[in-house]
Amino acid sequence: MMNNNIEKQKFDKLSFWQLIKRCSIEIPIIQRDYAQGRPQKEKIRNVFLDALKGALLGNPIELDFVYGSEQNNILKPLDGQQRLTTLFLLHWFVATKETKLNEAKEYLSKFTYETRISSREFCEKLVDISIDYEELLPMNEREKITPQNQLSETIKNASWFMIPWKNDPTIQAMLIMLDAIHLKFKNESNLWEKLIDEQNPPITFLYTKLENFGLSDDLYIKMNARGKELTPFENFKSRFENHIEKKGWENDLQINEYDTEDEKKEKYIKQFRYKIDREWTDLFWKYRTEINIIKEDGSSITEYEIDSRLTNFITSIAINNYAISSVYSEKDIIEQKIKILSDTPSELGIEDFPTEDSFNLLIDFFEKYAEIDDAKVFYNAELNPNICLWNNGFENTSLFKGIITGENVTMQKRVLFFAQTMFLLNKLFDKDEFNDWMRVIRNMVENTAGNWNLERMISAMKFVVNLMNEYKQYPKGVYSLLNETTETYSFNATQLKEEKRKAKIIVENPNYKELIFNVEDTDFCKGSINWCLDCVDTDNNIGLLELENIKSIIVEHLGKSDISNLFRRALLTIGNNEFYKYWGSWSYGTNTHKRCLIESRNNLKWYFTKGEYFENYFKPLVIQLITKDIQRIIDDYECPEDMPNWKKRLIKEPSLLDKYCEGHYFGITDDNQCYLYYKKKRPASKNDCKLIK
């Protein structure tokens, strides 16, 4: 279909100069980066430049078809981008070398790139300010200025050239091409008049408008097999910049004719489109992905990618904004939006930033994490709380890096990252206060009962905002705030009550702070130590030595994934000796009442650190352990005369649990006989059990 249209269509035979006089040329956003200047394209580059040079020296050439969409006197080429860019650079070089740039500027300034703001600005500066060709940097072996890069080094040394432009692949390729043009044409003269000769142009192509084919811009990507589709982020960025302009969110930064040059510059460098291609890109470049590509000839090239990092970061902020601004009437809609963004960040769209507040939050996040110190280190991006986050953090890396890499990002991690950022945005940074803040949020997140869902994450983020709204006005640390505040919050009220209890102790007895933190940080407690305080609290007086002993008990007996059988046997000496009744079922295979001698450490924490089983069993044992060795507790225990013999044996004979009750489950018959289940939680029959008489 396309080929038939081309064959029937009449093309105009034009030179670059004739085309640029006729309309502006804007390389569209769907086109790939300028490729003819890539380092690995040297052979293709030299062959093409030899052909152009031959044309200017007497052998005219025609460069095949150029076509694109022409609207409002602006051409967006579909085919011919690479050739047009090289011809633009050739015209600039010859005009600069032969001091014709002033007269050429009116037309050469009509060539631009939509692909990247940095590419567009480079072309503008190249034409508008340029360089003095007679004042190229001298050769310098130490500075690595050679004939092969003399022109590009001079351009990069110009005051108008911005350092971040070095990261733009199109600009990099343009500079390489300019060096190649310089080497090829530096000894030639009187080329300008030939280039702009409209009667007998030496270099031409066949041009027509895309509209003449009856095709639309939507077919650009499908038609241009030599191009490459933009990444989802590049598409988002282009639409988002237009979104910002339409919403008027940067109206105060719009440049007008009355601004001085300094005012224009100050406004421009604050705009989103400027920052996203400069200092913010510099931040994410540090965390770039390296991609090794094997070519057909077996050679490899390395490319770098940061778009996914930027997408993950912006998506996380959109999620934060949805959470903190949600209302109950829109609960299902908001949760669905958050789920889509969490599962597929590339679904990010401009509609995910519907308000100016959401846009401002995005800017605040970008600005805060792009801050650098005197050593050019992005210190906020590298920041990590000096506390253990367990599964709520990322292993051996910062929360920022974990979020932008997008690997195993849980709802809890999103809350912790949001909490960190809220502190950075609202408080003057103090390391100790930051760690205390993150500790409180960590404890609240870690000790939320039940499974996490989106409703719980939204509630947690709202809690972070509400607590910070109090905290940012408060002159002291977060524990002083918790000790004094009368505010109540719906998120995890039980743990918040504990945090206030600990805050009161810390404020009244600062010497307890480190010890409380140490107990919190044990794998058994993971931030929840209410039971520890209950064990040593006598009329609200906490004993420092007793709390230290509690910590030692945790380390010695509760430091592994399972408690010891020694600990189970000691529990059997407490109270009415029936702690195992915390859980029960019926075993049809053995016709016994199934009981559990505590399946794991987590089982102990869940059932025995609160309520009646804490008060009746766990607490009395812990209090004994403060002053007494666990083996001595067992040895000194005198079994009641009416105690079943099987229970006496479990207490006094360590081998029974060690050999015959690996799964920690057992059964009791109606006539009070005990069957230890060897390994299975559900034995098929009594043959899978050990009868203890």
Side-chain angles (χ1 to χ4, degrees):
M1 179 72 179
M2 182 69 185
N3 290 335
N4 291 337
N5 281 342
I6 290 177
E7 291 169 3
K8 295 175 182 179
Q9 179 62 43
K10 184 180 182 300
F11 284 78
D12 294 330
K13 188 174 183 178
L14 298 176
S15 68
F16 177 84
W17 189 250
Q18 289 171 313
L19 181 61
I20 201 78
K21 287 178 68 176
R22 174 170 157 174
C23 61
S24 297
I25 301 173
E26 184 177 82
I27 307 301
I29 197 165
I30 57 89
Q31 287 281 21
R32 60 177 175 169
D33 299 320
Y34 177 51
Q36 286 187 353
R38 291 176 182 170
Q40 63 269 28
K41 300 292 184 181
E42 182 177 4
K43 183 176 180 180
I44 295 174
R45 184 163 53 248
N46 285 329
V47 170
F48 187 47
L49 291 180
D50 282 339
L52 297 181
K53 182 177 180 180
L56 288 171
L57 297 181
N59 296 303
I61 60 170
E62 184 179 290
L63 301 178
D64 209 352
F65 300 110
V66 170
Y67 50 86
S69 174
E70 187 178 326
Q71 296 178 359
N72 300 322
N73 212 32
I74 299 174
L75 165 65
K76 294 187 177 183
L78 166 63
D79 196 8
Q81 169 220 356
Q82 304 290 325
R83 286 164 285 155
L84 290 173
T85 300
T86 300
L87 290 173
F88 162 73
L89 296 174
L90 177 62
H91 280 68
W92 174 87
F93 173 82
V94 174
T96 301
K97 181 176 180 292
E98 298 183 6
T99 64
K100 301 291 185 180
L101 191 58
N102 282 336
E103 63 185 74
K105 189 176 296 186
E106 177 185 355
Y107 298 114
L108 291 184
S109 62
K110 293 166 66 179
F111 181 90
T112 187
Y113 262 73
E114 185 185 20
T115 315
R116 284 185 174 84
I117 293 175
S118 51
S119 303
R120 178 162 69 247
E121 291 176 344
F122 173 74
C123 293
E124 290 172 358
K125 297 294 185 183
L126 193 65
V127 172
D128 186 44
I129 304 176
S130 192
I131 60 167
D132 186 345
Y133 187 78
E134 298 300 322
E135 297 294 333
L136 297 182
L137 293 175
M139 305 301 163
N140 188 316
E141 183 177 348
R142 187 176 64 180
E143 298 293 332
K144 297 182 180 179
I145 300 175
T146 67
Q148 285 71 34
N149 65 8
Q150 186 182 23
L151 179 58
S152 63
E153 289 297 321
T154 300
I155 293 171
K156 287 188 284 187
N157 190 59
S159 59
W160 52 265
F161 188 90
M162 298 191 178
I163 299 301
W165 288 353
K166 294 179 181 180
N167 295 328
D168 185 320
T170 289
I171 296 176
Q172 292 172 351
M174 284 183 173
L175 292 172
I176 291 173
M177 178 58 84
L178 284 171
D179 281 330
I181 291 172
H182 174 58
L183 288 173
K184 193 73 69 177
F185 291 91
K186 65 180 179 180
N187 295 322
E188 305 299 331
S189 57
N190 301 317
L191 299 180
W192 182 248
E193 295 304 324
K194 296 178 182 179
L195 274 176
I196 66 173
D197 186 348
E198 298 186 37
Q199 298 301 317
N200 297 293
I203 304 168
T204 58
F205 41 77
L206 298 176
Y207 170 74
T208 195
K209 301 177 185 179
L210 182 65
E211 288 76 11
N212 293 338
F213 294 111
L215 300 173
S216 67
D217 293 353
D218 295 337
L219 297 179
Y220 265 26
I221 294 171
K222 295 178 182 177
M223 293 170 60
N224 189 7
R226 288 175 294 174
K228 66 179 182 184
E229 193 171 351
L230 293 181
T231 66
F233 177 74
E234 287 172 323
N235 281 313
F236 166 78
K237 183 163 72 77
S238 175
R239 294 193 298 269
F240 193 56
E241 288 170 0
N242 291 330
H243 184 59
I244 294 168
E245 186 175 350
K246 289 178 182 177
K247 291 287 189 178
W249 292 338
E250 290 188 333
N251 281 348
D252 58 323
L253 299 178
Q254 295 305 307
I255 296 170
N256 61 63
E257 58 184 315
Y258 304 108
D259 290 331
T260 65
E261 287 303 313
D262 286 343
E263 288 171 337
K264 289 179 181 178
K265 181 179 180 181
E266 183 178 357
K267 286 182 176 181
Y268 184 56
I269 64 176
K270 290 180 180 178
Q271 293 176 8
F272 176 89
R273 62 172 188 160
Y274 178 92
K275 287 179 173 291
I276 196 68
D277 281 337
R278 288 174 178 77
E279 56 254 47
W280 296 346
T281 293
D282 291 345
L283 164 62
F284 287 86
W285 187 252
K286 175 180 172 60
Y287 302 100
R288 63 191 179 274
T289 300
E290 184 176 295
I291 304 171
N292 292 313
I293 300 174
I294 306 299
K295 299 163 63 178
E296 291 182 1
D297 62 5
S299 62
S300 65
I301 59 173
T302 300
E303 293 186 356
Y304 299 96
E305 184 270 329
I306 63 170
D307 285 0
S308 63
R309 306 313 202 212
L310 282 156
T311 299
N312 289 334
F313 182 70
I314 297 175
T315 296
S316 75
I317 301 162
I319 290 171
N320 295 154
N321 183 69
Y322 276 134
I324 63 178
S325 61
S326 66
V327 294
Y328 187 78
S329 61
E330 299 177 348
K331 175 180 178 294
D332 292 342
I333 296 173
I334 294 300
E335 288 185 6
Q336 180 64 17
K337 288 181 177 180
I338 292 176
K339 185 178 189 308
I340 290 172
L341 290 176
S342 298
D343 294 344
T344 315
S346 59
E347 290 293 317
L348 177 71
I350 61 174
E351 65 278 1
D352 294 314
F353 290 89
T355 66
E356 189 167 7
D357 284 344
S358 63
F359 172 67
N360 290 336
L361 186 68
L362 173 66
I363 299 301
D364 289 343
F365 269 59
F366 263 120
E367 293 283 52
K368 184 53 64 174
Y369 284 104
E371 288 179 359
I372 57 176
D373 59 19
D374 293 338
K376 306 298 182 184
V377 173
F378 296 102
Y379 53 89
N380 286 331
E382 295 294 314
L383 179 65
N384 228 2
N386 190 27
I387 60 173
C388 181
L389 298 178
W390 301 298
N391 291 330
N392 304 310
F394 299 93
E395 188 174 356
N396 300 321
T397 194
S398 67
L399 287 167
F400 172 83
K401 184 178 179 182
I403 289 291
I404 68 170
T405 54
E407 296 179 8
N408 191 27
V409 179
T410 63
M411 289 180 275
Q412 295 94 320
K413 292 172 184 177
R414 291 193 185 280
V415 174
L416 266 293
F417 176 65
F418 181 63
Q420 170 179 286
T421 313
M422 285 298 98
F423 185 93
L424 295 175
L425 290 174
N426 291 285
K427 299 291 289 186
L428 183 64
F429 189 80
D430 176 88
K431 185 177 180 180
D432 290 336
E433 288 193 12
F434 169 69
N435 286 325
D436 288 352
W437 162 260
M438 292 301 292
R439 176 178 288 276
V440 170
I441 304 302
R442 176 204 70 177
N443 293 347
M444 293 288 292
V445 168
E446 174 66 28
N447 294 287
T448 303
N451 295 324
W452 272 71
N453 54 29
L454 291 176
E455 182 178 7
R456 181 158 289 165
M457 185 188 77
I458 290 170
S459 178
M461 287 187 178
K462 286 185 175 182
F463 167 74
V464 169
V465 170
N466 292 331
L467 187 60
M468 179 52 72
N469 285 338
E470 269 198 281
Y471 187 26
K472 66 184 179 182
Q473 307 294 337
Y474 194 77
K476 301 177 185 178
V478 69
Y479 286 110
S480 294
L481 170 65
L482 289 172
N483 185 45
E484 295 179 10
T485 185
T486 58
E487 291 289 335
T488 58
Y489 301 101
S490 59
F491 175 67
N492 201 353
T494 300
Q495 186 63 30
L496 181 60
K497 184 178 179 181
E498 177 183 320
E499 295 304 312
K500 290 182 176 182
R501 180 183 185 183
K502 290 180 289 192
K504 183 176 186 297
I505 297 170
I506 289 170
V507 170
E508 294 178 355
N509 303 279
N511 291 336
Y512 281 72
K513 184 177 184 180
E514 182 179 358
L515 179 55
I516 285 175
F517 287 178
N518 288 339
V519 178
E520 280 187 343
D521 290 343
T522 59
D523 279 344
F524 181 76
C525 291
K526 288 190 174 180
S528 178
I529 66 168
N530 222 35
W531 68 269
C532 303
L533 301 178
D534 285 343
C535 287
V536 297
D537 189 346
T538 305
D539 297 327
N540 295 317
N541 291 316
I542 303 296
L544 185 63
L545 179 59
E546 287 82 357
L547 189 57
E548 181 67 54
N549 288 332
I550 295 284
K551 180 199 165 190
S552 299
I553 292 167
I554 294 170
V555 172
E556 181 178 356
H557 299 289
L558 309 175
K560 298 179 181 179
S561 60
D562 191 12
I563 62 172
S564 67
N565 284 331
L566 194 65
F567 200 87
R568 292 181 175 90
R569 290 163 57 217
L571 273 174
L572 280 172
T573 69
I574 305 299
N576 66 0
N577 321 105
E578 294 182 337
F579 78 86
Y580 49 80
K581 287 188 175 180
Y582 80 93
W583 182 91
S585 182
W586 177 257
S587 170
Y588 290 95
T590 62
N591 289 319
T592 60
H593 298 277
K594 188 191 300 184
R595 297 297 183 182
C596 185
L597 292 163
I598 304 179
E599 186 176 36
S600 66
R601 185 181 67 179
N602 287 339
N603 218 221
L604 176 71
K605 182 176 180 179
W606 182 256
Y607 290 102
F608 287 83
T609 56
K610 55 185 177 292
E612 62 175 307
Y613 283 92
F614 169 70
E615 293 292 340
N616 295 335
Y617 299 104
F618 189 47
K619 179 179 178 180
L621 176 59
V622 170
I623 290 174
Q624 282 194 57
L625 285 170
I626 291 176
T627 58
K628 202 170 184 181
D629 175 78
I630 193 167
Q631 185 62 57
R632 187 179 169 191
I633 291 174
I634 294 172
D635 292 341
D636 290 351
Y637 181 71
E638 295 183 7
C639 298
E641 289 185 8
D642 60 348
M643 176 183 279
N645 195 57
W646 63 263
K647 194 177 296 186
K648 294 178 182 178
R649 292 187 63 192
L650 291 184
I651 294 172
K652 298 297 183 177
E653 299 179 33
S655 63
L656 294 180
L657 293 184
D658 292 343
K659 289 183 178 181
Y660 306 118
C661 197
E662 189 173 322
H664 313 309
Y665 286 87
F666 72 105
I668 303 173
T669 62
D670 288 336
D671 58 354
N672 209 9
Q673 288 184 313
C674 172
Y675 286 85
L676 298 181
Y677 300 169
Y678 289 133
K679 294 184 179 180
K680 298 178 181 179
K681 184 177 180 180
R682 299 177 181 85
S685 70
K686 290 179 179 176
N687 292 330
D688 294 325
C689 308
K690 174 69 174 178
L691 174 62
I692 307 298
K693 296 181 179 180

